Amino acid sequence: MIKYVILFIHLIGLSFYQLFFGDVTATQKIPNTIKAGEEVTVEVTIVKNDVNGFAKVQQTLPPGFFAEIIDAKGATFSFKDNIVKFIWMALPADKEFTITYKLKPNIDIIGDFSIAGKFSFISDNERKNVDIPPSNITIVKDLENASQPALAVIDNPVVENAPTTQTPIVIEKIETTTNITPAKVEIQSTRTIENLGNNYKVTVKINQTNLDGFAKFVDIVPSGFTASTDNPEGGIFSFSDGEAKILWMAAPKKAEFSVSYFIEPTDAKQGSYTISGTFSYLENDLTSKHNINSSTFNFNTQTIAQTETTVSNEQQPIIEKTPAIVEPVKQEKLKTPVVEKQPVKENTKSNITSVPSAEKGVTYKVQVGAGHQTVSNSYFASKFNLTDAVSTESHEGWIKYIVGKYTEYQQARDKRNMVRNNVKNAFVTAYNQGKRITVQEALMISNQKWYQ
């Protein structure tokens, strides 16, 4: 009776999955018969329907086979240790698409083989897998004699008492799977919280052995605080419902690596707060979870209030100690420029304007400062010798000062480099339909490359 109840629950779960995601399928097309040493094209067709975001196709080829990319549909392709991988930061928009690669068996390999694989994607911050049904193929020396029994040759060894021409060793079938037990994954972690004055930097150090594939870091941020990215170590950072998350389709290979992010008070009260978290990973295709020890920090509202009052009286902006957006690939460590406390003369010619209200598509700008009080029109010109027109925008309780507007990230990068001659900590910001997003998201949406 219990067996039927469990079966019924599984069927209900499958129905709900198909209701929300439709039929996510992955199939492949490989010729049934291949001549040894010759290339053929492998086609893998994905029907993803409404699935988006991170995804991966992975296949393990038999020994003696080689793969070369043809069309990855925007994925990063790799072939190493007989493993074919296609990894997407964001899946193609089409609900159905086909990726292709060249498959070439070694000229000395013949026999019967089977190739399968998996299509993996992220749903509700969890990894889902769809099996690619196996395809059986036969490698022959001569396609004209393909109907003859298949043989397998390994390293073309010489047989005793054989004539001068080498005779292959005959094997019925080559098995492509092994019973090797995967090495056990071990995780150790430490967390530190650094008080930067107006915000806090949270750093988690991970020591790992045998970590591979999908991984997820989650910290529970106390109520009254918001979180923004600093160093996601190649993953994608997000903050929602009080959780700071970093996702990896392929976990960092370093034996030791660190991730970090910033937390900033929104409506927190003075007192002691605790951050706890977990690090999840795959082990033998099952999700395992490592608990990161809790860390406590003290929040003092008086310190921040005094800082804001001082700046307000001097009519000068508080420059953020860390940018809200950290550019991908290379994480820039920015220090706060020191704003001297001296009066600024007014200029009748306005150099600070408001941001245009309507924006379309993805745009990039350069942020030169931020504060809680609007400064005089001539501040950036007199203090930093910045001649560009400076516009303002309100974001996360700050008045932020922006120069330029570009549709290409490379143009914004070049502008940032020029502005840093005057404001050394300027950085690129990104927007979609006028709403600020991360530079990583903007690059993926606009299908542009990151430039150092």
Side-chain angles (χ1 to χ4, degrees):
M1 180 64 181
I2 296 177
K3 179 175 69 174
Y4 291 108
V5 171
I6 294 175
L7 178 60
F8 176 74
I9 293 174
H10 279 292
L11 290 174
I12 291 296
L14 179 61
S15 298
F16 274 108
Y17 175 81
Q18 293 179 344
L19 175 64
F20 286 103
F21 294 104
D23 294 325
V24 177
T25 62
T27 56
Q28 65 179 343
K29 182 179 179 182
I30 306 176
N32 294 328
T33 305
I34 304 174
K35 183 178 179 180
E38 289 194 352
E39 294 179 349
V40 296
T41 298
V42 177
E43 299 179 358
V44 179
T45 299
I46 306 296
V47 178
K48 73 177 188 69
N49 289 315
D50 295 328
V51 171
N52 294 296
F54 282 113
K56 178 177 70 172
V57 166
Q58 180 168 319
Q59 294 181 288
T60 300
L61 302 184
F65 283 67
F66 302 91
E68 182 180 345
I69 184 61
I70 297 178
D71 185 0
K73 296 299 182 185
T76 299
F77 173 85
S78 66
F79 176 64
K80 184 179 179 182
D81 299 329
N82 289 97
I83 298 177
V84 174
K85 287 183 182 180
F86 293 80
I87 296 179
W88 290 268
M89 297 292 286
L91 278 167
D94 296 336
K95 292 190 175 184
E96 178 178 338
F97 62 90
T98 299
I99 55 177
T100 55
Y101 64 92
K102 296 178 183 178
L103 178 68
K104 182 179 181 179
N106 191 300
I107 196 169
D108 294 326
I109 297 293
I110 60 176
D112 297 324
F113 301 88
S114 179
I115 297 177
K118 288 184 179 180
F119 171 58
S120 305
F121 58 93
I122 302 299
S123 169
D124 295 329
N125 292 320
E126 297 293 339
R127 170 171 160 163
K128 308 290 184 181
N129 294 318
V130 174
D131 290 331
I132 301 174
S135 294
N136 297 319
I137 59 175
T138 299
I139 311 300
V140 298
K141 283 293 183 182
D142 189 346
L143 289 177
E144 294 181 358
N145 299 318
S147 60
Q148 297 179 0
L151 306 178
V153 182
I154 299 182
D155 295 333
N156 208 17
V158 177
V159 181
E160 292 184 7
N161 301 323
T164 55
T165 56
Q166 294 180 342
T167 302
I169 297 176
V170 178
I171 301 177
E172 291 296 328
K173 186 176 182 180
I174 294 180
E175 297 292 337
T176 61
T177 59
T178 61
N179 293 321
I180 299 176
T181 302
K184 182 176 177 58
V185 178
E186 296 182 357
I187 303 291
Q188 294 180 333
S189 63
T190 56
R191 183 194 293 102
T192 58
I193 303 176
E194 180 183 2
N195 188 342
L196 300 179
N198 288 338
N199 60 1
Y200 299 83
K201 181 178 180 180
V202 181
T203 302
V204 176
K205 181 187 295 183
I206 303 292
N207 294 87
Q208 63 87 15
T209 55
N210 304 314
L211 183 64
D212 187 33
F214 174 79
K216 178 176 69 173
F217 162 82
V218 178
D219 255 0
I220 307 300
V221 177
S223 177
F225 291 83
T226 185
S228 59
T229 185
D230 178 41
N231 175 24
E233 192 61 41
I236 291 296
F237 176 91
S238 65
F239 177 69
S240 178
D241 298 328
E243 293 184 341
K245 299 179 183 178
I246 300 176
L247 294 177
W248 295 269
M249 282 301 294
K253 293 294 186 180
K254 302 176 184 176
E256 177 182 303
F257 64 91
S258 296
V259 297
S260 58
Y261 62 94
F262 299 102
I263 59 172
E264 184 177 347
T266 53
D267 57 356
K269 297 180 180 180
Q270 181 171 310
S272 178
Y273 291 87
T274 299
I275 297 178
S276 60
T278 59
F279 185 83
S280 304
Y281 55 93
L282 286 180
E283 188 169 21
N284 299 330
D285 282 334
L286 297 176
T287 301
S288 298
K289 185 177 292 186
H290 164 80
N291 291 321
I292 304 172
N293 290 335
S294 301
S295 303
T296 302
F297 66 97
N298 293 316
F299 172 59
N300 188 342
T301 57
Q302 294 180 353
T303 302
I304 293 181
Q306 291 172 359
T307 303
E308 292 180 353
T309 302
T310 302
V311 172
S312 175
N313 291 337
E314 294 293 335
Q315 289 285 299
Q316 296 179 358
I318 303 171
I319 304 298
E320 292 178 318
K321 290 182 179 295
T322 53
I325 306 298
V326 176
E327 298 172 21
V329 183
K330 180 180 178 182
Q331 307 297 332
E332 298 186 11
K333 303 298 183 181
L334 304 182
K335 296 182 179 179
T336 304
V338 178
V339 179
E340 298 178 3
K341 295 184 178 181
Q342 58 184 18
V344 179
K345 296 181 180 180
E346 288 288 340
N347 191 332
T348 56
K349 183 178 179 181
S350 176
N351 193 44
I352 299 180
T353 62
S354 61
V355 176
S357 58
E359 292 186 9
K360 295 182 179 180
V362 173
T363 56
Y364 302 90
K365 303 177 185 180
V366 178
Q367 182 169 319
V368 294
H372 293 291
Q373 188 78 16
T374 302
V375 298
S376 58
N377 296 335
S378 60
Y379 177 80
F380 286 95
S382 61
K383 181 64 180 176
F384 298 104
N385 195 28
L386 187 65
T387 59
D388 299 77
V390 181
S391 59
T392 63
E393 65 179 46
S394 297
H395 182 248
E396 295 182 345
W398 293 78
I399 300 172
K400 300 191 175 180
Y401 298 87
I402 310 295
V403 298
K405 179 182 176 182
Y406 309 92
T407 57
E408 297 292 329
Y409 171 76
Q410 186 175 8
Q411 295 174 331
R413 186 281 314 265
D414 292 342
K415 182 63 178 178
R416 177 205 65 189
N417 292 344
M418 293 176 59
V419 171
R420 281 185 176 176
N421 293 327
N422 306 86
V423 184
K424 65 179 181 179
N425 293 331
F427 59 92
V428 175
T429 60
Y431 308 80
N432 185 24
Q433 306 296 335
K435 180 180 179 182
R436 186 183 281 223
I437 60 175
T438 65
V439 172
Q440 294 97 321
E441 290 173 315
L443 292 172
M444 288 188 289
I445 294 171
S446 58
N447 196 25
Q448 295 181 28
K449 295 182 178 180
W450 181 83
Y451 295 89
Q452 183 174 350

